[in-house]
């Protein structure tokens, strides 16, 4: 995965030094591989990346030869690559590798038998926040010595010769403890107030897992700042020549919000090829787990009043239900439900890129965070990189929930879209149900969030702050966001070396603010991870937005800095050079862009940042969704017809003598669909003959069991439907949001005696549902 597909090339020794400060990690590693076979092997180093990782140093040594990767201005690098022999190796890798997405790849050439190659790899990375507040760092299992090799090592002393893995932890909040899925030395504090600590691994994970390190801080900060000093060799005013601060925002969001306010903008993007199977006339042709019509029905019915929504279908072209998102009301919901059947199958092209660009070009609705639900079955041709560039550009302004099918070639793209926007990706395979999984994600999308986010800076006179990456519009519960700022100028009073930043945000109608003070003269080890991460964001920002002459001048200056930092960007590419080890010292004295580097004594080596189009992972097999699958099968069969009694009778008759369970499941699922279709946008039900029939009652029975004549018919119907839904909740997981809407509506009704209503409903339906059903 990370080095070579040849099992004979084994990783013998690993030396890793990780420095973690709050939510940023700086990694310096050295990996020694040996060719254990009796023949020479062609070797290539491959390291997967994501948008939160910056590889800035790579070189490999074999004997007296050194191969070094360097960042070069893009056009010049492209010309150099054209003259490089062996680039076809990388082209072959793009379509044949098992990995998917962006990788750093360098072809190292032939490794003779019993010879070593030493890889030096350095990178910086933003760390993710875990639900329990920990910062998570991972190291891939492929970059540990193999178990086959470790089996020969019997003692801890011998193990230490092959594994040198040290971790330094720093935080002004104090390091509380760590959790590691590997044996390690005790956490040793090396600074007062537990602000710095060290730990080392004794062995790699033994269960073929990646190393998973969780760092817990003494305080649970809503605000964290890592300040990094300027590079003394860089001119003041440049990014490298100024102090840079990384501020991590972790809003404290309560689980329950008394006045949640507005809920957001929900956009449902439906691949029209999904509607092909749903319209086939034969039961055996329909895919049990995929019914886009039912999925849209349940999603629409589950939305809260006051939100905004729209539905897009895409194929060779895309179409929208509405020109722009509309407010969720009874009228707009009924209109959208009625238009679901108008979506026609389309097995042509798949213009997801055009649709995303259209959506991103529409202005955000103030107070309504944008969330995309993307249902996809087809491959996005060769536009994956362009799609990810668009998603990354707007990742702070929306969230993606992706639902690829198991026959979809775009699973990895869907996964990357969800990851970059902090959403979810759920593959719908044959034992899962699209509707159930989509509603689960909608529940997550409706969780409380922080909005109206703003930062206010308090710096000593003479200092100013320039935002490189601004705070997002919203932050969802359990997530964090890192912003970067450049502090420039000259403090009027050199004795004052402290600044402050205040985070303000709203959860519902409740406001919060936190202030954090930080030192402007922090200790420095010269590794500059924050500057590199800030540089990466600045360069991408300039690539998208630079239009004026002044911005282009800034862009030129930033590119010059990126060359010296080794940060890849839209303006640069990577080039690798093979040279003799004794000549490598010349590298430090060559200015960026110097053509002297490419003398006849140096050889260019195939090395690029690639986008791989590998195989999708294998799917797990499960049977726990069997019952839901059966019920969904029945729903799909009826979805093409109006929900009438004749259809139910015909299907029931056809099931006689075959599978009694299918007949029973059909009737219950058909009734469920009818009950859901009758629910109003506000969560209530009207007392109608259609509702009574779906509940397997007559209108006379429903009327006769009303607790009293003064009882509101709508409230009585809503309690009946709610109790019925709760009674069958164990069979389907789609009804949670529908029940919550009903409960909220009932609690807002005056003079409704819920206990009396519930007793009558239990008696009529022949069940026993406890009063807790009314709790939200």
């Amino acid at each position: 995965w990370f080095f070579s597909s040849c099992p004979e090339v084994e990783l013998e020794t690993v030396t890793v030094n990780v420095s973690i400060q709050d939510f940023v990690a700086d990694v310096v590693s050295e990996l020694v591989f040996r060719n254990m076979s009796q023949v020479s092997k062609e070797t290539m180093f491959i390291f997967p990346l994501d948008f939160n990782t910056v590889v800035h140093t790579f070189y490999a040594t074999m004997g007296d030869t050194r191969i070094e990767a360097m960042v070069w201005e893009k056009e010049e690098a492209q010309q150099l690559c054209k003259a490089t022999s062996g680039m076809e190796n990388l082209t072959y890798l793009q379509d044949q590798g098992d990995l998917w997405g962006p990788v750093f790849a360098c072809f190292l050439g032939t490794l003779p038998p019993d010879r070593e190659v030493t890889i030096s790899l350095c990178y910086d990375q933003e760390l993710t926040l875990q639900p329990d507040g920990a910062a998570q760092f991972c190291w891939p299992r492929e970059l540990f010595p193999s178990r086959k090799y470790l089996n020969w090592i019997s003692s801890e002393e011998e193990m230490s010769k092959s594994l040198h893995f040290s971790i330094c932890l720093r935080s002004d909040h104090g390091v509380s403890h760590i959790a590691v899925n590997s044996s390690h030395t005790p956490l040793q504090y090396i600074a007062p107030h537990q602000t710095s600590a060290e730990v080392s691994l004794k062995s790699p994970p033994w269960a073929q897992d990646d190393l998973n390190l969780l760092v817990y801080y003494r305080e649970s900060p809503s605000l964290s700042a890592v300040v990094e000093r300027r590079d003394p060799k860089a001119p003041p005013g440049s990014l490298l020549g100024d102090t840079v601060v990384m501020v991590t925002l972790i809003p404290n969001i309560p689980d329950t919000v008394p006045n949640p306010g507005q809920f957001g903008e929900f956009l449902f993007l439906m691949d029209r090829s999904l509607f092909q199977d749903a319209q086939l006339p034969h039961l055996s042709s329909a895919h049990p787990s995929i019914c886009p019509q039912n999925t849209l029905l349940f999603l629409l019915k589950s939305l809260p009043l006051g939100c905004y929504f729209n539905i897009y279908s895409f194929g060779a072209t895309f179409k929208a239900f509405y020109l722009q998102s509309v407010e969720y009301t009874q009228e707009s919901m009924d209109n959208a439900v009625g238009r679901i059947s108008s979506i026609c199958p389309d097995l042509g092209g798949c213009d997801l890129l055009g649709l995303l660009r259209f959506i991103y070009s529409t202005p955000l609705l103030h107070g309504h965070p944008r969330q995309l639900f993307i249902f996809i079955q087809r491959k996005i041709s060769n536009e994956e990189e362009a799609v990810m560039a668009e998603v990354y550009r707007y990742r702070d302004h929306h969230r993606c929930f992706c639902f690829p099918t198991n026959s979809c070639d775009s699973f990895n793209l869907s996964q990357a879209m969800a990851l970059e926007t902090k959403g979810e990706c759920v593959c719908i395979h044959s034992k899962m149900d699209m509707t159930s999984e989509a509603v689960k994600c909608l529940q997550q999308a409706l969780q409380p969030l922080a909005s109206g986010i703003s930062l206010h800076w308090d710096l000593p006179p003479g200092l100013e702050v320039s935002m490189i990456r601004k705070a997002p519009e919203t932050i969802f519960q359990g997530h964090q966001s890192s912003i970067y700022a450049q502090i420039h100028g000259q403090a009027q009073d050199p004795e004052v070396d402290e600044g402050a930043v205040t985070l303000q945000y709203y959860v519902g109608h409740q406001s919060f603010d936190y202030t954090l003070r930080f030192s402007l003269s922090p200790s420095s080890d010269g590794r500059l991870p924050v500057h590199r991460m800030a540089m990466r964001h600045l360069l991408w920002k300039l690539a998208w937005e630079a239009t004026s002459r002044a911005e282009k001048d800034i862009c030129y200056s930033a590119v010059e800095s990126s060359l010296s930092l080794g940060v890849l960007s839209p303006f640069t590419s990577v080039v690798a050079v093979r040279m003799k080890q004794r000549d490598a010292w010349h590298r430090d004295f060559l200015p960026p862009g110097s053509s002297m580097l490419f003398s006849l004594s140096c050889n260019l080596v195939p090395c690029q940042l690639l986008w791989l189009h590998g195989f999708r992972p294998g799917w797990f097999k499960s049977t726990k969704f069997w019952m839901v699958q059966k019920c969904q099968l029945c729903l799909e069969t009826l979805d093409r017809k109006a929900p009438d009694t004749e259809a139910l009778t015909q299907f029931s008759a056809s099931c006689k003598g075959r599978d009694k369970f299918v007949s029973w499941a059909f009737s219950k699922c058909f009734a469920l669909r009818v009950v859901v279709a009758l629910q109003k946008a506000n969560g209530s039900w009207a007392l109608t003959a259609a509702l009574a029939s779906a509940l397997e009652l007559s209108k006379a029975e429903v009327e006769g069991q009303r607790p009293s004549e003064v009882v509101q018919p709508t409230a009585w119907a809503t309690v009946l439907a709610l109790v019925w839904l709760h009674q069958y909740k164990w069979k389907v997981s789609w009804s949670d949001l529908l029940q919550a809407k009903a409960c909220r509506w009932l609690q807002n009704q005056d003079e409704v005696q819920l206990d009396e209503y519930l007793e009558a409903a239990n008696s009529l339906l022949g069940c026993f549902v406890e009063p807790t059903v009314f709790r939200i």
Side-chain angles (χ1 to χ4, degrees):
W1 290 84
F2 287 81
F3 182 74
S4 169
S5 60
C6 303
E8 297 88 356
V9 180
E10 293 188 0
L11 179 58
E12 284 189 328
T13 306
V14 174
T15 303
V16 183
N17 177 266
V18 183
S19 177
I20 296 176
Q21 187 167 4
D22 288 359
F23 291 92
V24 63
D26 181 77
V27 182
V28 176
S29 64
E30 183 178 273
L31 316 167
V32 180
F33 293 86
R34 180 180 293 276
N35 181 5
M36 309 299 289
S37 70
Q38 300 302 311
V39 296
S40 298
K41 294 292 183 179
E42 295 292 312
T43 55
M44 182 182 297
F45 185 83
I46 305 169
F47 187 75
L49 303 174
D50 58 36
F51 284 109
N52 291 325
T53 302
V54 174
V55 172
H56 59 84
T57 301
F58 172 83
Y59 56 89
T61 56
M62 290 184 284
D64 64 346
T65 301
R66 172 176 166 131
I67 295 174
E68 183 170 356
M70 305 174 191
V71 175
W72 215 254
E73 192 277 327
K74 195 161 196 173
E75 292 183 5
E76 191 169 334
Q78 289 173 345
Q79 292 299 320
L80 293 170
C81 288
K82 288 180 181 178
T84 304
S85 61
M87 291 297 289
E88 63 274 5
N89 290 294
L90 299 186
T91 304
Y92 176 80
L93 173 68
Q94 268 187 302
D95 295 318
Q96 299 300 321
D98 288 337
L99 290 176
W100 181 93
V103 299
F104 171 84
C106 185
F107 184 72
L108 302 179
T110 302
L111 184 62
D114 199 35
R115 292 286 296 275
E116 291 182 347
V117 56
T118 301
I119 302 291
S120 295
L121 174 72
C122 305
Y123 65 90
D124 300 317
Q125 188 176 57
E126 287 183 14
L127 301 184
T128 57
L129 175 72
Q130 297 305 292
D132 59 0
Q136 182 184 40
F137 172 78
C138 294
W139 179 259
R141 63 182 179 273
E142 291 85 356
L143 295 186
F144 282 113
S146 67
R147 178 178 293 186
K148 174 184 175 182
Y149 176 75
L150 291 176
N151 284 341
W152 294 95
I153 300 177
S154 58
S155 69
E156 193 173 287
E157 182 179 350
E158 290 177 327
M159 174 73 75
S160 66
K161 296 178 182 178
S162 298
L163 178 65
H164 312 272
F165 207 114
S166 62
I167 304 163
C168 178
L169 309 170
R170 289 180 294 156
S171 176
D172 290 340
H173 298 284
V175 178
S176 171
H177 62 283
I178 62 171
V180 194
N181 60 338
S182 173
S183 61
H184 58 87
T185 61
L187 194 64
Q188 181 178 359
Y189 293 102
I190 55 177
H193 310 296
Q194 299 182 345
T195 56
S196 184
E198 292 180 346
V199 67
S200 297
L201 299 188
K202 292 183 177 179
S203 66
W206 286 99
Q208 292 296 307
D209 290 333
D210 297 339
L211 174 72
N212 189 20
L213 168 69
L214 299 178
V215 185
Y216 296 86
Y217 299 112
R218 240 182 8 182
E219 303 170 6
S220 181
S222 292
L223 202 56
S224 169
V226 178
V227 183
E228 193 170 83
R229 285 183 176 181
R230 61 182 292 268
D231 183 348
K233 296 179 291 185
S238 66
L239 182 64
L240 271 176
D242 283 339
T243 296
V244 171
V245 56
M246 170 187 173
V247 179
T248 303
L249 315 178
I250 315 173
N252 180 22
I253 303 174
D255 291 330
T256 57
V257 183
N259 301 304
Q262 297 162 319
F263 286 97
E265 179 189 22
F266 299 92
L267 306 180
F268 304 111
L269 285 59
M270 308 297 298
D271 183 345
R272 286 200 288 268
S273 69
L274 290 167
F275 291 77
Q276 182 72 14
D277 286 343
Q279 296 195 6
L280 292 176
H282 302 295
L283 175 66
S284 59
S285 302
H287 195 293
S289 64
I290 300 173
C291 183
Q293 292 94 333
N294 278 335
T295 300
L296 279 177
L297 172 66
F298 275 83
L299 287 173
L300 285 171
K301 289 289 183 174
S302 300
L303 291 175
L305 283 173
C307 75
Y308 282 75
F309 76 99
N310 205 347
I311 297 174
Y312 298 88
S313 62
F314 62 94
T317 60
F318 60 85
K319 298 178 182 179
F321 275 26
Y322 307 103
L323 293 178
Q324 58 186 12
S325 297
V326 296
E327 185 178 355
Y328 182 75
T329 63
Q330 183 66 44
E331 181 181 1
S332 63
M333 184 200 71
D334 287 342
N335 179 272
V337 170
R339 297 177 65 178
I340 292 176
S341 59
S342 68
I343 301 177
C344 299
D346 178 356
L347 300 179
C350 189
D351 188 22
L352 178 61
L353 177 61
L355 175 54
L356 289 176
R357 284 174 172 166
F358 174 79
I359 290 173
Y360 295 153
S361 68
T362 60
L364 294 168
L365 299 172
H366 180 68
H368 293 274
R370 177 172 287 172
Q371 307 199 63
L372 275 57
F373 285 67
I374 305 174
F375 301 86
I376 187 167
Q377 184 164 261
R378 287 175 291 185
K379 183 175 177 61
I380 314 298
S381 63
N382 294 319
E383 297 178 328
E384 293 173 332
E385 295 168 72
V387 168
M388 280 309 303
E390 289 294 311
V391 171
Y392 178 78
R393 180 179 181 180
Y394 295 97
R395 67 174 186 166
D396 288 332
H397 303 290
H398 75 298
R399 188 159 62 160
C400 292
F401 294 90
C402 300
F403 306 90
T405 67
N406 65 336
S407 59
C408 176
D409 290 325
S410 295
F411 168 78
N412 294 299
L413 175 64
S414 301
Q415 194 174 47
M417 293 169 64
L419 178 66
E420 289 309 316
T421 58
K422 298 176 180 170
E424 291 288 341
C425 177
V426 182
C427 177
I428 309 300
H429 58 74
S430 60
K431 300 299 181 182
M432 295 178 68
D433 170 67
M434 177 184 284
T435 302
S436 175
E437 298 303 321
V439 171
K440 287 179 187 176
C441 285
L442 182 59
Q443 286 179 305
Q444 182 179 340
L446 290 171
Q447 288 176 347
L449 53 87
S451 61
I453 297 171
S454 62
L455 286 177
H456 303 276
W457 299 85
D458 180 14
L459 299 176
L463 294 181
E464 296 180 348
V465 63
S466 297
M467 299 303 298
I468 296 171
R469 186 185 183 195
K470 298 180 180 179
E473 300 283 333
T474 56
I475 298 179
F476 295 91
Q477 190 176 50
H479 293 160
Q480 95 271 32
S481 180
S482 295
I483 65 100
Y484 294 85
Q486 179 179 352
I487 299 176
H488 51 85
Q490 186 69 41
Q492 295 177 7
D493 185 356
E495 298 297 323
V496 180
D497 66 345
E498 190 176 67
V501 61
T502 298
L503 166 67
Q504 293 183 334
Y505 62 92
Y506 290 86
V507 178
H509 301 304
Q510 186 177 2
S511 64
F512 295 83
D513 64 87
Y514 296 92
T515 298
L516 176 69
R517 305 201 68 81
F518 53 84
S519 171
L520 292 169
S521 301
S523 58
S524 174
D525 55 13
R527 290 166 72 159
L528 300 176
V530 175
H531 275 81
R532 288 193 178 91
M533 298 304 300
M535 176 67 70
R536 186 184 185 285
H537 288 291
L538 174 62
L539 290 169
W540 277 94
K541 175 185 175 183
L542 291 173
W544 293 320
E545 301 174 0
T547 54
S548 68
R549 178 65 180 272
E551 288 172 326
K552 290 180 179 178
D553 290 341
I554 295 173
C555 180
Y556 176 80
S557 173
V559 171
E560 289 296 307
S561 297
S562 78
L563 294 177
S564 60
L565 277 175
V567 177
L568 278 170
S569 73
F571 307 101
T572 54
S573 293
V574 64
V575 172
V577 180
R578 180 186 288 110
M579 64 187 81
K580 294 298 182 182
Q581 186 74 1
R582 63 177 177 270
D583 298 328
W585 66 272
H586 289 295
R587 165 74 176 87
D588 297 332
F589 297 96
L590 289 172
S594 172
S595 60
M596 291 173 57
L597 181 63
F598 298 101
S599 62
L600 295 177
S601 62
C602 297
N603 297 316
L604 298 180
V605 175
C607 178
Q608 279 189 352
L609 182 68
L610 294 177
W611 192 279
L612 301 189
H613 307 95
F615 307 118
R616 61 179 182 266
W619 309 117
F620 64 88
K621 294 181 179 179
S622 171
T623 57
K624 70 176 182 177
F625 294 98
W626 181 78
M627 182 177 292
V628 175
Q629 173 185 335
K630 285 279 189 179
C631 297
Q632 180 72 6
L633 183 66
C634 303
L635 285 178
E636 283 190 338
T637 307
L638 283 182
D639 192 70
R640 298 176 295 278
K641 300 181 179 180
D644 52 34
T645 307
E646 181 182 356
L648 175 60
T649 304
Q650 290 177 355
F651 186 88
S652 297
S654 68
C655 289
K656 288 181 179 179
R658 293 195 295 169
D659 190 344
K660 293 183 179 180
F661 173 77
V662 172
S663 178
W664 173 85
F666 165 80
S667 63
K668 296 304 179 187
C669 289
F670 169 68
L672 174 64
R673 191 183 193 283
V674 174
V675 171
V676 171
L678 293 173
Q679 189 179 26
K680 302 296 183 182
N682 62 8
S684 68
W685 277 268
L687 189 58
T688 63
L691 177 63
S693 176
L695 302 181
E696 300 180 351
L697 301 168
S698 67
K699 182 74 179 298
E701 287 178 306
V702 173
E703 289 283 2
Q705 289 291 327
R706 282 173 62 180
S708 66
E709 292 185 1
V710 297
V711 168
Q712 300 179 32
T714 303
W716 169 234
T718 302
V719 171
L720 277 176
L722 179 63
V723 170
W724 187 88
L725 282 175
H726 190 80
Q727 182 183 8
Y728 293 104
K729 183 178 178 180
W730 64 273
K731 299 181 182 69
V732 293
S733 58
W734 313 328
S735 61
D736 289 346
L737 292 176
L738 305 179
Q739 293 182 69
K741 286 177 71 172
C743 288
R744 278 192 292 268
W745 183 85
L746 285 169
Q747 291 176 356
N748 290 332
Q749 306 308 304
D750 297 330
E751 300 179 1
V752 172
Q753 303 296 323
L754 292 178
D755 290 344
E756 183 182 359
Y757 285 28
L758 178 61
E759 183 179 354
N762 277 329
S763 175
L764 182 59
L765 294 172
C767 60
F768 180 73
V769 174
E770 297 182 350
T772 53
V773 70
F774 297 117
R775 296 177 186 172
I776 300 177

